[in-house]
Amino acid sequence: MQYSLFGSILTIGAMIGAIISGRIADYAGRRTAMGFSEVFCILGWLAIAFAKVGWWLYVGRLFVGCGMGLLSYVVPIYIAEITPKNLRGGFTTVHQLMICCGVSLTYLVGAFLNWRILALLGIIPCIVQLLGLFFIPESPRWLAKFGHWERSESVLQRLRGKNADVSQEATEIRDFTEALQRETESIIGLFQLQYLKSLTVGVGLMILQQFGGVNGIAFYASSIFISAGFSGSIGMIAMVAVQIPMTALGVLLMDKSGRRPLLLISASGTCLGCFLAALSFTLQDLHKWKEGSPILALAGVLVYTGSFSLGMGGIPWVIMSEIFPINVKGSAGSLVTLVSWLCSWIVSYAFNFLMSWSSAGTFFIFSSICGFTILFVAKLVPETKGRTLEEVQASLNPYSTKT
């Protein structure tokens, strides 16, 4: 029970961070929100590193979770608001690539170091980002929202380069922001008909991302590798060897092929990966093809990991950062991030119970959800490649910009 609590309390902290993320980012600014998150993370790592009793570890994990919840919302939003439309998708996905590299590095270092030293090492990137915040500008769209037009244009010029003509982009931001000034900013105002499609796409993608089995594959990967005759550590290295190049490929293709094609390919691959894992468990239950079924499971895990890394891992966060107008971005972003972490906790908590019920059945359920994701993307998710944030938001929320 203590082990489960220690594991799940991080996700609970992330849900708390998600709830407050929109408000902090909206009223104090994107940079300040990132600063808050780093302070939470530093306090959390210190509590874990110097823990004398068990509850210090819980408090530490809770604080780190709060920081993660804040960061998972504000970083994609900030990146989307400062980058030009032709590079926005790639830049936002680099965030996921860096997370991927960071997690992989931590697994590697953690294999050789004491956990207290590992917790202290966790403070280093937090301090680097905290100091780095003094050298980056505030989001021009956030400045425009609060009427700082000159500063907004000045920041935009700094971001695009001295010789770039930013007048058209600055005018578009100003016109769109002014049109939204009369709209409500409350969480209740978010549930209006005009925001229905944006909300459906944002929340739907997060639910399908988490319920598609990513946590199940991650938790069970080591056991699957061992059952396939490989050591758990070799299996994890194989996952990283697939994960990082596929995430990098997603970054390169994001602004060339677009979000929708990558999502469709990614969802199809995760569907196939879960199906192969389910088939392997079915064969094991029936005591058929004993030599081949572990290899089938291994193939399923690697196909799933590669496919998820290509699109479903990062693109829902890219789209979340693009589809909500500035007047509801805080409330909407908080809600979408909260849903993501809540679904992550549900799957993490329920996974062991599902596996004890039926391993094959669990992965057939995941495969079915991934199959539904293909339909969801094909019918509802818009293509946002090569369009400004204002163009994307106006097309999804046609009534919000009418005077």
Side-chain angles (χ1 to χ4, degrees):
M1 190 187 78
Q2 287 178 319
Y3 182 79
S4 297
L5 179 61
F6 181 73
S8 64
I9 203 165
L10 182 87
T11 319
I12 294 165
M15 285 190 260
I16 296 167
I19 291 166
I20 62 173
S21 62
R23 288 292 175 192
I24 294 174
D26 268 3
Y27 291 106
R30 306 333 189 196
R31 288 196 311 169
T32 306
M34 285 187 264
F36 266 109
S37 71
E38 298 308 336
V39 170
F40 276 126
C41 288
I42 290 168
L43 292 173
W45 288 125
L46 287 171
I48 292 169
F50 297 105
K52 302 291 183 189
V53 289
W55 66 267
W56 279 34
L57 294 172
Y58 300 146
V59 170
R61 288 279 284 182
L62 188 73
F63 271 66
V64 171
C66 283
M68 284 171 59
L70 265 165
L71 278 176
S72 62
Y73 162 75
V74 75
V75 172
I77 292 291
Y78 177 77
I79 294 170
E81 289 182 349
I82 66 168
T83 46
K85 61 183 181 182
N86 60 314
L87 299 171
R88 189 177 63 239
F91 267 85
T92 312
T93 321
V94 165
H95 174 223
Q96 293 298 319
L97 177 62
M98 293 297 103
I99 290 172
C100 189
C101 293
V103 170
S104 303
L105 183 64
T106 308
Y107 270 118
L108 190 66
V109 173
F112 304 101
L113 293 179
N114 175 278
W115 60 271
R116 289 185 189 272
I117 296 170
L118 193 65
L120 286 171
L121 285 178
I123 296 170
I124 295 171
C126 301
I127 292 171
V128 169
Q129 187 170 9
L130 201 56
L131 295 174
L133 292 175
F134 292 101
F135 300 96
I136 63 171
E138 185 51 87
S139 159
R141 286 172 170 87
W142 182 82
L143 290 167
K145 181 187 176 184
F146 286 92
H148 305 304
W149 307 114
E150 287 182 12
R151 275 184 66 198
S152 173
E153 192 163 347
S154 169
V155 166
L156 207 57
Q157 190 72 64
R158 178 184 164 187
L159 289 165
R160 301 293 180 262
K162 285 182 181 178
N163 300 321
D165 181 11
V166 298
S167 56
Q168 186 180 343
E169 190 176 0
T171 303
E172 189 176 1
I173 291 170
R174 181 169 187 157
D175 291 347
F176 194 77
T177 305
E178 284 179 338
L180 291 168
Q181 289 297 329
R182 294 175 296 279
E183 300 287 339
T184 180
E185 292 189 39
S186 69
I187 190 76
I188 298 166
L190 180 61
F191 295 97
Q192 294 178 41
L193 187 62
Q194 66 206 45
Y195 305 123
L196 181 62
K197 188 170 182 185
S198 292
L199 208 57
T200 304
V201 170
V203 171
L205 280 176
M206 290 302 178
I207 292 172
L208 293 168
Q209 180 198 53
Q210 294 299 330
F211 284 177
V214 59
N215 282 323
I217 291 280
F219 289 152
Y220 211 70
S222 186
S223 305
I224 290 172
F225 292 132
I226 291 164
S227 72
F230 302 94
S231 75
S233 57
I234 289 174
M236 295 311 286
I237 291 167
M239 277 185 75
V240 170
V242 169
Q243 198 173 29
I244 294 177
M246 290 302 281
T247 308
L249 181 62
V251 171
L252 295 172
L253 293 176
M254 183 70 61
D255 289 308
K256 290 184 173 66
S257 65
R259 283 56 153 165
R260 274 169 55 88
L262 279 180
L263 273 176
L264 290 168
I265 293 166
S266 176
S268 302
T270 56
C271 181
L272 176 62
C274 283
F275 183 79
L276 290 174
L279 198 59
S280 167
F281 285 121
T282 304
L283 290 169
Q284 285 177 32
D285 292 342
L286 296 171
H287 305 290
K288 299 278 178 71
W289 200 36
K290 291 181 181 178
E291 315 79 36
S293 59
I295 305 298
L296 204 60
L298 179 67
V301 170
L302 295 180
V303 167
Y304 183 95
T305 304
S307 301
F308 186 84
S309 302
L310 181 67
M312 280 303 293
I315 296 177
W317 293 101
V318 175
I319 289 174
M320 181 275 286
S321 69
E322 295 175 326
I323 59 176
F324 294 110
I326 195 83
N327 66 309
V328 293
K329 191 168 272 188
S331 304
S334 285
L335 178 64
V336 170
T337 310
L338 174 63
V339 166
S340 176
W341 285 107
L342 177 62
C343 291
S344 173
W345 178 79
I346 290 167
V347 175
S348 306
Y349 186 79
F351 184 71
N352 285 333
F353 297 106
L354 286 168
M355 290 298 283
S356 60
W357 160 68
S358 168
S359 300
T362 300
F363 280 94
F364 275 128
I365 290 169
F366 288 153
S367 183
S368 302
I369 292 169
C370 293
F372 178 74
T373 305
I374 299 168
L375 295 175
F376 182 86
V377 172
K379 292 291 182 185
L380 289 174
V381 177
E383 182 53 76
T384 58
K385 180 191 77 163
R387 300 161 77 190
T388 66
L389 294 180
E390 288 69 31
E391 286 169 348
V392 171
Q393 292 153 14
S395 66
L396 276 168
N397 313 292
Y399 306 107
S400 63
T401 53
K402 288 182 180 178
T403 54

